[in-house]
Amino acid sequence: MVVHMDRVFFFDVVRDELFKGNLTHPQVVGITAILDAWEERFAHADPRWLAYIFATAYHETAYTMQPVRETLAESDVRAVEILEAAFAAGRLSWVRTPYWRPDEDGRSWLGRGLVQLTHKRNYEAMSALTGIDLVAGPDRAMEMDVAVTILIEGMLQGSFTGHKLQDHLNATTEDWVNARRIVNGTDRAEKLANYAKIFHAAIRPEAAHGVIARLKAWGSRVIARLA
């Protein structure tokens, strides 16, 4: 039997600890989409994996929990302009070939989604994984259901860098820092580790909440009889 998460507790914790006490409607929608997909397909999997998936989306979307373009631009054209300016100014020293420049078909392979999917080869890989032709329509990576599948399946299967969740979070290992290698080396790895630990603390079975509530009610009745 699948025991669902106590979502009230989850949202209360992340709202206070990660979203400064307030969650916008789009943030709730994005979080809920990830939760729904996880409970539908992976409810028996390690909850630490879900925590790190959430931490990744939180960081990669600049806390919006919505699929975004790289640079948070509203259009590919604007995103390319921002990336070109940053590249010319030497602020993207790790980039050898500007992957965002439109190809012969006018398509740009800049980052999109809940985890920033870049380079044509990765759009090809995710096309095979999702069954959706992201090469013909890279903007489909901005659709919530597609973005959620890419995020979860990509991290489970090691599609981005060869590292996968099971490599760093398993029965004998709990390496929240090196879990960042699943997506992007060790870039801001300590930050993401801290985010993931908060998400993990927020995940608890719905049944646990019921037990606690019953114990509190029992305690209240005992106190009332003793008063």
PDB file of all heavy atoms in Angstrom, residues 97-112 117-128 133-138:
ATOM      1  N   THR A  97      31.977  26.668 -26.641  1.00  0.00           N
ATOM      2  CA  THR A  97      31.161  26.908 -27.825  1.00  0.00           C
ATOM      3  C   THR A  97      29.804  27.436 -27.375  1.00  0.00           C
ATOM      4  O   THR A  97      29.108  26.774 -26.604  1.00  0.00           O
ATOM      5  CB  THR A  97      30.944  25.607 -28.625  1.00  0.00           C
ATOM      6  OG1 THR A  97      32.222  25.066 -28.980  1.00  0.00           O
ATOM      7  CG2 THR A  97      30.136  25.886 -29.882  1.00  0.00           C
ATOM      8  N   PRO A  98      29.430  28.630 -27.809  1.00  0.00           N
ATOM      9  CA  PRO A  98      28.146  29.212 -27.395  1.00  0.00           C
ATOM     10  C   PRO A  98      26.960  28.387 -27.894  1.00  0.00           C
ATOM     11  O   PRO A  98      26.484  28.556 -29.022  1.00  0.00           O
ATOM     12  CB  PRO A  98      28.175  30.608 -28.032  1.00  0.00           C
ATOM     13  CG  PRO A  98      29.618  30.908 -28.259  1.00  0.00           C
ATOM     14  CD  PRO A  98      30.222  29.588 -28.615  1.00  0.00           C
ATOM     15  N   TYR A  99      26.481  27.495 -27.056  1.00  0.00           N
ATOM     16  CA  TYR A  99      25.442  26.532 -27.426  1.00  0.00           C
ATOM     17  C   TYR A  99      24.092  27.186 -27.685  1.00  0.00           C
ATOM     18  O   TYR A  99      23.189  26.576 -28.246  1.00  0.00           O
ATOM     19  CB  TYR A  99      25.297  25.485 -26.316  1.00  0.00           C
ATOM     20  CG  TYR A  99      25.063  26.090 -24.949  1.00  0.00           C
ATOM     21  CD1 TYR A  99      23.780  26.452 -24.532  1.00  0.00           C
ATOM     22  CD2 TYR A  99      26.134  26.328 -24.086  1.00  0.00           C
ATOM     23  CE1 TYR A  99      23.573  27.031 -23.296  1.00  0.00           C
ATOM     24  CE2 TYR A  99      25.935  26.903 -22.853  1.00  0.00           C
ATOM     25  CZ  TYR A  99      24.655  27.260 -22.456  1.00  0.00           C
ATOM     26  OH  TYR A  99      24.460  27.845 -21.228  1.00  0.00           O
ATOM     27  N   TRP A 100      23.948  28.420 -27.252  1.00  0.00           N
ATOM     28  CA  TRP A 100      22.649  29.102 -27.379  1.00  0.00           C
ATOM     29  C   TRP A 100      22.425  29.724 -28.761  1.00  0.00           C
ATOM     30  O   TRP A 100      21.306  30.104 -29.097  1.00  0.00           O
ATOM     31  CB  TRP A 100      22.553  30.198 -26.315  1.00  0.00           C
ATOM     32  CG  TRP A 100      23.704  31.167 -26.389  1.00  0.00           C
ATOM     33  CD1 TRP A 100      23.852  32.236 -27.242  1.00  0.00           C
ATOM     34  CD2 TRP A 100      24.896  31.122 -25.602  1.00  0.00           C
ATOM     35  NE1 TRP A 100      25.047  32.873 -27.036  1.00  0.00           N
ATOM     36  CE2 TRP A 100      25.712  32.217 -26.027  1.00  0.00           C
ATOM     37  CE3 TRP A 100      25.349  30.304 -24.583  1.00  0.00           C
ATOM     38  CZ2 TRP A 100      26.956  32.480 -25.451  1.00  0.00           C
ATOM     39  CZ3 TRP A 100      26.582  30.582 -24.014  1.00  0.00           C
ATOM     40  CH2 TRP A 100      27.370  31.642 -24.449  1.00  0.00           C
ATOM     41  N   ARG A 101      23.481  29.839 -29.534  1.00  0.00           N
ATOM     42  CA  ARG A 101      23.336  30.478 -30.848  1.00  0.00           C
ATOM     43  C   ARG A 101      22.458  29.626 -31.758  1.00  0.00           C
ATOM     44  O   ARG A 101      22.663  28.410 -31.874  1.00  0.00           O
ATOM     45  CB  ARG A 101      24.712  30.697 -31.484  1.00  0.00           C
ATOM     46  CG  ARG A 101      25.510  31.779 -30.772  1.00  0.00           C
ATOM     47  CD  ARG A 101      26.907  31.945 -31.332  1.00  0.00           C
ATOM     48  NE  ARG A 101      27.624  32.987 -30.606  1.00  0.00           N
ATOM     49  CZ  ARG A 101      28.915  33.238 -30.720  1.00  0.00           C
ATOM     50  NH1 ARG A 101      29.645  32.500 -31.558  1.00  0.00           N
ATOM     51  NH2 ARG A 101      29.480  34.208 -30.012  1.00  0.00           N
ATOM     52  N   PRO A 102      21.465  30.228 -32.411  1.00  0.00           N
ATOM     53  CA  PRO A 102      20.543  29.462 -33.270  1.00  0.00           C
ATOM     54  C   PRO A 102      21.291  28.689 -34.344  1.00  0.00           C
ATOM     55  O   PRO A 102      22.265  29.176 -34.923  1.00  0.00           O
ATOM     56  CB  PRO A 102      19.661  30.556 -33.881  1.00  0.00           C
ATOM     57  CG  PRO A 102      19.697  31.667 -32.882  1.00  0.00           C
ATOM     58  CD  PRO A 102      21.103  31.655 -32.332  1.00  0.00           C
ATOM     59  N   ASP A 103      20.843  27.449 -34.583  1.00  0.00           N
ATOM     60  CA  ASP A 103      21.450  26.629 -35.621  1.00  0.00           C
ATOM     61  C   ASP A 103      20.865  26.981 -36.987  1.00  0.00           C
ATOM     62  O   ASP A 103      20.126  27.968 -37.130  1.00  0.00           O
ATOM     63  CB  ASP A 103      21.279  25.141 -35.304  1.00  0.00           C
ATOM     64  CG  ASP A 103      19.809  24.696 -35.275  1.00  0.00           C
ATOM     65  OD1 ASP A 103      18.941  25.446 -35.771  1.00  0.00           O
ATOM     66  OD2 ASP A 103      19.544  23.601 -34.764  1.00  0.00           O
ATOM     67  N   GLU A 104      21.182  26.161 -37.992  1.00  0.00           N
ATOM     68  CA  GLU A 104      20.743  26.453 -39.359  1.00  0.00           C
ATOM     69  C   GLU A 104      19.220  26.433 -39.510  1.00  0.00           C
ATOM     70  O   GLU A 104      18.668  27.019 -40.443  1.00  0.00           O
ATOM     71  CB  GLU A 104      21.376  25.467 -40.342  1.00  0.00           C
ATOM     72  CG  GLU A 104      21.008  24.001 -40.124  1.00  0.00           C
ATOM     73  CD  GLU A 104      21.869  23.313 -39.081  1.00  0.00           C
ATOM     74  OE1 GLU A 104      22.670  23.996 -38.399  1.00  0.00           O
ATOM     75  OE2 GLU A 104      21.727  22.071 -38.935  1.00  0.00           O
ATOM     76  N   ASP A 105      18.545  25.783 -38.558  1.00  0.00           N
ATOM     77  CA  ASP A 105      17.078  25.753 -38.589  1.00  0.00           C
ATOM     78  C   ASP A 105      16.453  26.817 -37.696  1.00  0.00           C
ATOM     79  O   ASP A 105      15.233  26.862 -37.543  1.00  0.00           O
ATOM     80  CB  ASP A 105      16.574  24.368 -38.155  1.00  0.00           C
ATOM     81  CG  ASP A 105      17.004  23.275 -39.125  1.00  0.00           C
ATOM     82  OD1 ASP A 105      16.897  23.511 -40.347  1.00  0.00           O
ATOM     83  OD2 ASP A 105      17.462  22.217 -38.663  1.00  0.00           O
ATOM     84  N   GLY A 106      17.312  27.642 -37.111  1.00  0.00           N
ATOM     85  CA  GLY A 106      16.808  28.720 -36.258  1.00  0.00           C
ATOM     86  C   GLY A 106      16.486  28.297 -34.837  1.00  0.00           C
ATOM     87  O   GLY A 106      15.915  29.074 -34.069  1.00  0.00           O
ATOM     88  N   ARG A 107      16.844  27.072 -34.454  1.00  0.00           N
ATOM     89  CA  ARG A 107      16.556  26.590 -33.103  1.00  0.00           C
ATOM     90  C   ARG A 107      17.743  26.849 -32.180  1.00  0.00           C
ATOM     91  O   ARG A 107      18.888  26.647 -32.555  1.00  0.00           O
ATOM     92  CB  ARG A 107      16.232  25.094 -33.116  1.00  0.00           C
ATOM     93  CG  ARG A 107      15.028  24.729 -33.974  1.00  0.00           C
ATOM     94  CD  ARG A 107      14.646  23.274 -33.787  1.00  0.00           C
ATOM     95  NE  ARG A 107      13.580  22.894 -34.713  1.00  0.00           N
ATOM     96  CZ  ARG A 107      13.762  22.223 -35.834  1.00  0.00           C
ATOM     97  NH1 ARG A 107      14.981  21.828 -36.176  1.00  0.00           N
ATOM     98  NH2 ARG A 107      12.744  21.918 -36.616  1.00  0.00           N
ATOM     99  N   SER A 108      17.419  27.272 -30.975  1.00  0.00           N
ATOM    100  CA  SER A 108      18.457  27.544 -29.984  1.00  0.00           C
ATOM    101  C   SER A 108      18.427  26.459 -28.913  1.00  0.00           C
ATOM    102  O   SER A 108      17.350  26.082 -28.437  1.00  0.00           O
ATOM    103  CB  SER A 108      18.214  28.911 -29.329  1.00  0.00           C
ATOM    104  OG  SER A 108      19.141  29.127 -28.288  1.00  0.00           O
ATOM    105  N   TRP A 109      19.602  25.996 -28.516  1.00  0.00           N
ATOM    106  CA  TRP A 109      19.691  24.910 -27.539  1.00  0.00           C
ATOM    107  C   TRP A 109      20.106  25.443 -26.176  1.00  0.00           C
ATOM    108  O   TRP A 109      20.897  24.854 -25.459  1.00  0.00           O
ATOM    109  CB  TRP A 109      20.642  23.826 -28.056  1.00  0.00           C
ATOM    110  CG  TRP A 109      20.260  23.411 -29.435  1.00  0.00           C
ATOM    111  CD1 TRP A 109      20.911  23.691 -30.606  1.00  0.00           C
ATOM    112  CD2 TRP A 109      19.068  22.701 -29.815  1.00  0.00           C
ATOM    113  NE1 TRP A 109      20.227  23.197 -31.682  1.00  0.00           N
ATOM    114  CE2 TRP A 109      19.077  22.579 -31.230  1.00  0.00           C
ATOM    115  CE3 TRP A 109      18.002  22.155 -29.103  1.00  0.00           C
ATOM    116  CZ2 TRP A 109      18.072  21.936 -31.935  1.00  0.00           C
ATOM    117  CZ3 TRP A 109      16.987  21.514 -29.807  1.00  0.00           C
ATOM    118  CH2 TRP A 109      17.033  21.408 -31.206  1.00  0.00           C
ATOM    119  N   LEU A 110      19.529  26.595 -25.821  1.00  0.00           N
ATOM    120  CA  LEU A 110      19.769  27.183 -24.507  1.00  0.00           C
ATOM    121  C   LEU A 110      18.983  26.424 -23.440  1.00  0.00           C
ATOM    122  O   LEU A 110      18.148  25.582 -23.744  1.00  0.00           O
ATOM    123  CB  LEU A 110      19.385  28.661 -24.517  1.00  0.00           C
ATOM    124  CG  LEU A 110      17.986  29.051 -25.016  1.00  0.00           C
ATOM    125  CD1 LEU A 110      16.927  28.894 -23.952  1.00  0.00           C
ATOM    126  CD2 LEU A 110      17.988  30.478 -25.550  1.00  0.00           C
ATOM    127  N   GLY A 111      19.256  26.744 -22.188  1.00  0.00           N
ATOM    128  CA  GLY A 111      18.623  26.022 -21.093  1.00  0.00           C
ATOM    129  C   GLY A 111      17.130  26.302 -20.975  1.00  0.00           C
ATOM    130  O   GLY A 111      16.698  27.443 -21.090  1.00  0.00           O
ATOM    131  N   ARG A 112      16.382  25.235 -20.737  1.00  0.00           N
ATOM    132  CA  ARG A 112      14.934  25.356 -20.527  1.00  0.00           C
ATOM    133  C   ARG A 112      14.484  24.306 -19.516  1.00  0.00           C
ATOM    134  O   ARG A 112      15.069  23.231 -19.430  1.00  0.00           O
ATOM    135  CB  ARG A 112      14.155  25.119 -21.836  1.00  0.00           C
ATOM    136  CG  ARG A 112      14.426  26.102 -22.959  1.00  0.00           C
ATOM    137  CD  ARG A 112      13.616  25.704 -24.203  1.00  0.00           C
ATOM    138  NE  ARG A 112      13.821  26.585 -25.340  1.00  0.00           N
ATOM    139  CZ  ARG A 112      14.806  26.461 -26.231  1.00  0.00           C
ATOM    140  NH1 ARG A 112      15.694  25.488 -26.062  1.00  0.00           N
ATOM    141  NH2 ARG A 112      14.909  27.293 -27.244  1.00  0.00           N
ATOM    142  N   LEU A 117      18.083  22.336 -19.365  1.00  0.00           N
ATOM    143  CA  LEU A 117      18.475  21.408 -20.422  1.00  0.00           C
ATOM    144  C   LEU A 117      19.164  22.200 -21.529  1.00  0.00           C
ATOM    145  O   LEU A 117      18.547  23.056 -22.164  1.00  0.00           O
ATOM    146  CB  LEU A 117      17.228  20.707 -20.953  1.00  0.00           C
ATOM    147  CG  LEU A 117      17.429  19.544 -21.918  1.00  0.00           C
ATOM    148  CD1 LEU A 117      18.154  18.401 -21.229  1.00  0.00           C
ATOM    149  CD2 LEU A 117      16.074  19.085 -22.447  1.00  0.00           C
ATOM    150  N   THR A 118      20.449  21.952 -21.734  1.00  0.00           N
ATOM    151  CA  THR A 118      21.220  22.674 -22.757  1.00  0.00           C
ATOM    152  C   THR A 118      21.861  21.703 -23.740  1.00  0.00           C
ATOM    153  O   THR A 118      22.004  20.518 -23.442  1.00  0.00           O
ATOM    154  CB  THR A 118      22.336  23.525 -22.109  1.00  0.00           C
ATOM    155  OG1 THR A 118      23.197  22.662 -21.349  1.00  0.00           O
ATOM    156  CG2 THR A 118      21.760  24.593 -21.191  1.00  0.00           C
ATOM    157  N   HIS A 119      22.249  22.212 -24.891  1.00  0.00           N
ATOM    158  CA  HIS A 119      22.917  21.468 -25.957  1.00  0.00           C
ATOM    159  C   HIS A 119      21.951  20.519 -26.682  1.00  0.00           C
ATOM    160  O   HIS A 119      21.133  19.853 -26.045  1.00  0.00           O
ATOM    161  CB  HIS A 119      24.120  20.674 -25.440  1.00  0.00           C
ATOM    162  CG  HIS A 119      25.208  21.540 -24.858  1.00  0.00           C
ATOM    163  ND1 HIS A 119      26.097  22.212 -25.647  1.00  0.00           N
ATOM    164  CD2 HIS A 119      25.518  21.840 -23.573  1.00  0.00           C
ATOM    165  CE1 HIS A 119      26.946  22.887 -24.869  1.00  0.00           C
ATOM    166  NE2 HIS A 119      26.602  22.688 -23.613  1.00  0.00           N
ATOM    167  N   LYS A 120      22.095  20.475 -27.979  1.00  0.00           N
ATOM    168  CA  LYS A 120      21.197  19.658 -28.807  1.00  0.00           C
ATOM    169  C   LYS A 120      21.240  18.192 -28.407  1.00  0.00           C
ATOM    170  O   LYS A 120      20.196  17.511 -28.385  1.00  0.00           O
ATOM    171  CB  LYS A 120      21.558  19.815 -30.284  1.00  0.00           C
ATOM    172  CG  LYS A 120      20.596  19.100 -31.228  1.00  0.00           C
ATOM    173  CD  LYS A 120      20.941  19.363 -32.688  1.00  0.00           C
ATOM    174  CE  LYS A 120      19.946  18.676 -33.617  1.00  0.00           C
ATOM    175  NZ  LYS A 120      20.270  18.935 -35.051  1.00  0.00           N
ATOM    176  N   ARG A 121      22.415  17.681 -28.067  1.00  0.00           N
ATOM    177  CA  ARG A 121      22.536  16.260 -27.723  1.00  0.00           C
ATOM    178  C   ARG A 121      21.653  15.908 -26.524  1.00  0.00           C
ATOM    179  O   ARG A 121      21.118  14.794 -26.442  1.00  0.00           O
ATOM    180  CB  ARG A 121      23.988  15.893 -27.439  1.00  0.00           C
ATOM    181  CG  ARG A 121      24.603  16.576 -26.240  1.00  0.00           C
ATOM    182  CD  ARG A 121      26.045  16.169 -26.016  1.00  0.00           C
ATOM    183  NE  ARG A 121      26.642  16.845 -24.884  1.00  0.00           N
ATOM    184  CZ  ARG A 121      27.222  18.031 -24.946  1.00  0.00           C
ATOM    185  NH1 ARG A 121      27.279  18.682 -26.106  1.00  0.00           N
ATOM    186  NH2 ARG A 121      27.739  18.579 -23.864  1.00  0.00           N
ATOM    187  N   ASN A 122      21.500  16.847 -25.593  1.00  0.00           N
ATOM    188  CA  ASN A 122      20.654  16.578 -24.434  1.00  0.00           C
ATOM    189  C   ASN A 122      19.169  16.652 -24.783  1.00  0.00           C
ATOM    190  O   ASN A 122      18.360  15.911 -24.212  1.00  0.00           O
ATOM    191  CB  ASN A 122      20.992  17.551 -23.303  1.00  0.00           C
ATOM    192  CG  ASN A 122      22.348  17.256 -22.691  1.00  0.00           C
ATOM    193  OD1 ASN A 122      22.723  16.094 -22.522  1.00  0.00           O
ATOM    194  ND2 ASN A 122      23.100  18.296 -22.384  1.00  0.00           N
ATOM    195  N   TYR A 123      18.820  17.517 -25.721  1.00  0.00           N
ATOM    196  CA  TYR A 123      17.429  17.545 -26.198  1.00  0.00           C
ATOM    197  C   TYR A 123      17.108  16.242 -26.929  1.00  0.00           C
ATOM    198  O   TYR A 123      15.997  15.731 -26.835  1.00  0.00           O
ATOM    199  CB  TYR A 123      17.202  18.756 -27.108  1.00  0.00           C
ATOM    200  CG  TYR A 123      16.996  20.042 -26.345  1.00  0.00           C
ATOM    201  CD1 TYR A 123      18.071  20.800 -25.892  1.00  0.00           C
ATOM    202  CD2 TYR A 123      15.712  20.505 -26.063  1.00  0.00           C
ATOM    203  CE1 TYR A 123      17.878  21.979 -25.184  1.00  0.00           C
ATOM    204  CE2 TYR A 123      15.510  21.686 -25.359  1.00  0.00           C
ATOM    205  CZ  TYR A 123      16.593  22.420 -24.925  1.00  0.00           C
ATOM    206  OH  TYR A 123      16.396  23.591 -24.211  1.00  0.00           O
ATOM    207  N   GLU A 124      18.091  15.720 -27.652  1.00  0.00           N
ATOM    208  CA  GLU A 124      17.893  14.428 -28.333  1.00  0.00           C
ATOM    209  C   GLU A 124      17.699  13.313 -27.311  1.00  0.00           C
ATOM    210  O   GLU A 124      16.806  12.459 -27.457  1.00  0.00           O
ATOM    211  CB  GLU A 124      19.100  14.142 -29.225  1.00  0.00           C
ATOM    212  CG  GLU A 124      19.198  15.064 -30.437  1.00  0.00           C
ATOM    213  CD  GLU A 124      20.510  14.922 -31.190  1.00  0.00           C
ATOM    214  OE1 GLU A 124      21.500  14.410 -30.594  1.00  0.00           O
ATOM    215  OE2 GLU A 124      20.561  15.329 -32.362  1.00  0.00           O
ATOM    216  N   ALA A 125      18.534  13.316 -26.267  1.00  0.00           N
ATOM    217  CA  ALA A 125      18.437  12.281 -25.240  1.00  0.00           C
ATOM    218  C   ALA A 125      17.097  12.345 -24.512  1.00  0.00           C
ATOM    219  O   ALA A 125      16.462  11.317 -24.240  1.00  0.00           O
ATOM    220  CB  ALA A 125      19.578  12.427 -24.237  1.00  0.00           C
ATOM    221  N   MET A 126      16.646  13.554 -24.217  1.00  0.00           N
ATOM    222  CA  MET A 126      15.372  13.702 -23.515  1.00  0.00           C
ATOM    223  C   MET A 126      14.177  13.419 -24.425  1.00  0.00           C
ATOM    224  O   MET A 126      13.097  13.053 -23.950  1.00  0.00           O
ATOM    225  CB  MET A 126      15.262  15.101 -22.918  1.00  0.00           C
ATOM    226  CG  MET A 126      16.180  15.343 -21.751  1.00  0.00           C
ATOM    227  SD  MET A 126      15.871  14.180 -20.374  1.00  0.00           S
ATOM    228  CE  MET A 126      17.476  13.430 -20.218  1.00  0.00           C
ATOM    229  N   SER A 127      14.367  13.559 -25.725  1.00  0.00           N
ATOM    230  CA  SER A 127      13.311  13.171 -26.663  1.00  0.00           C
ATOM    231  C   SER A 127      13.062  11.674 -26.560  1.00  0.00           C
ATOM    232  O   SER A 127      11.912  11.215 -26.538  1.00  0.00           O
ATOM    233  CB  SER A 127      13.697  13.539 -28.100  1.00  0.00           C
ATOM    234  OG  SER A 127      13.766  14.939 -28.271  1.00  0.00           O
ATOM    235  N   ALA A 128      14.144  10.911 -26.489  1.00  0.00           N
ATOM    236  CA  ALA A 128      14.016   9.459 -26.367  1.00  0.00           C
ATOM    237  C   ALA A 128      13.395   9.072 -25.035  1.00  0.00           C
ATOM    238  O   ALA A 128      12.578   8.154 -24.952  1.00  0.00           O
ATOM    239  CB  ALA A 128      15.397   8.811 -26.514  1.00  0.00           C
ATOM    240  N   ASP A 133       9.222  14.826 -29.263  1.00  0.00           N
ATOM    241  CA  ASP A 133      10.295  15.320 -30.128  1.00  0.00           C
ATOM    242  C   ASP A 133      10.706  16.731 -29.715  1.00  0.00           C
ATOM    243  O   ASP A 133      10.203  17.722 -30.226  1.00  0.00           O
ATOM    244  CB  ASP A 133       9.836  15.308 -31.591  1.00  0.00           C
ATOM    245  CG  ASP A 133      10.998  15.556 -32.559  1.00  0.00           C
ATOM    246  OD1 ASP A 133      12.096  15.922 -32.070  1.00  0.00           O
ATOM    247  OD2 ASP A 133      10.800  15.387 -33.775  1.00  0.00           O
ATOM    248  N   LEU A 134      11.640  16.796 -28.777  1.00  0.00           N
ATOM    249  CA  LEU A 134      12.126  18.082 -28.282  1.00  0.00           C
ATOM    250  C   LEU A 134      13.117  18.726 -29.240  1.00  0.00           C
ATOM    251  O   LEU A 134      13.427  19.913 -29.093  1.00  0.00           O
ATOM    252  CB  LEU A 134      12.775  17.897 -26.908  1.00  0.00           C
ATOM    253  CG  LEU A 134      11.837  17.411 -25.803  1.00  0.00           C
ATOM    254  CD1 LEU A 134      12.645  17.025 -24.565  1.00  0.00           C
ATOM    255  CD2 LEU A 134      10.804  18.463 -25.459  1.00  0.00           C
ATOM    256  N   VAL A 135      13.602  17.970 -30.194  1.00  0.00           N
ATOM    257  CA  VAL A 135      14.491  18.547 -31.208  1.00  0.00           C
ATOM    258  C   VAL A 135      13.660  19.374 -32.179  1.00  0.00           C
ATOM    259  O   VAL A 135      14.038  20.491 -32.550  1.00  0.00           O
ATOM    260  CB  VAL A 135      15.273  17.447 -31.947  1.00  0.00           C
ATOM    261  CG1 VAL A 135      16.102  18.044 -33.072  1.00  0.00           C
ATOM    262  CG2 VAL A 135      16.173  16.700 -30.960  1.00  0.00           C
ATOM    263  N   ALA A 136      12.515  18.851 -32.565  1.00  0.00           N
ATOM    264  CA  ALA A 136      11.625  19.603 -33.457  1.00  0.00           C
ATOM    265  C   ALA A 136      10.991  20.783 -32.721  1.00  0.00           C
ATOM    266  O   ALA A 136      10.750  21.839 -33.317  1.00  0.00           O
ATOM    267  CB  ALA A 136      10.533  18.688 -34.002  1.00  0.00           C
ATOM    268  N   GLY A 137      10.744  20.615 -31.428  1.00  0.00           N
ATOM    269  CA  GLY A 137      10.109  21.676 -30.650  1.00  0.00           C
ATOM    270  C   GLY A 137      10.755  21.829 -29.295  1.00  0.00           C
ATOM    271  O   GLY A 137      10.197  21.383 -28.278  1.00  0.00           O
ATOM    272  N   PRO A 138      11.947  22.441 -29.220  1.00  0.00           N
ATOM    273  CA  PRO A 138      12.646  22.560 -27.936  1.00  0.00           C
ATOM    274  C   PRO A 138      11.860  23.306 -26.866  1.00  0.00           C
ATOM    275  O   PRO A 138      12.028  23.032 -25.676  1.00  0.00           O
ATOM    276  CB  PRO A 138      13.941  23.312 -28.295  1.00  0.00           C
ATOM    277  CG  PRO A 138      13.705  23.898 -29.655  1.00  0.00           C
ATOM    278  CD  PRO A 138      12.740  23.005 -30.329  1.00  0.00           C
TER     279      PRO A 138
END
